[in-house]
Amino acid sequence: MTTVELKNSLLNRISGLNDKSLLIEIKTLIETKSELSIYKTIPEQRKKIKVGREQIAKGESISNEQIELEIDKWFNEK
């Protein structure tokens, strides 16, 4: 199946859907995978991003691996 055929097939299937929650999920999936997605942030979010970047630059961060080890340790204590 070519890309054009696949698109047409999907469009036909989507146009027949009446399930709003499914349509919202499809929309969300397409938006998150789109190369043209623009993330809109509010000033408070931009401030937190700036603080986080500054912390990383200062070495004030923990790797994902370290966090996973701490979580595993915490779960094993319970």
Side-chain angles (χ1 to χ4, degrees):
M1 181 178 286
T2 67
T3 303
V4 172
E5 292 170 332
L6 182 57
K7 285 180 184 181
N8 288 332
S9 173
L10 289 169
L11 289 170
N12 288 333
R13 299 281 303 267
I14 292 169
S15 67
L17 293 175
N18 291 317
D19 182 342
K20 185 175 180 178
S21 63
L22 179 57
L23 290 168
I24 290 170
E25 288 181 40
I26 293 168
K27 181 179 180 282
T28 300
L29 177 64
I30 290 170
E31 287 174 350
T32 58
K33 296 295 181 180
S34 173
E35 293 177 18
L36 302 175
S37 292
I38 298 174
Y39 298 98
K40 296 180 182 178
T41 57
I42 61 174
E44 182 179 324
Q45 291 169 319
R46 288 190 291 273
K47 182 178 179 182
K48 289 182 179 185
I49 291 169
K50 182 180 177 186
V51 169
R53 286 180 172 167
E54 289 170 355
Q55 288 173 327
I56 291 170
K58 294 177 186 175
E60 299 172 353
S61 62
I62 300 173
S63 71
N64 190 52
E65 184 178 292
Q66 289 171 307
I67 293 293
E68 288 177 3
L69 290 172
E70 286 185 30
I71 291 170
D72 287 342
K73 181 180 173 185
W74 183 77
F75 277 125
N76 289 327
E77 291 176 357
K78 300 287 177 184

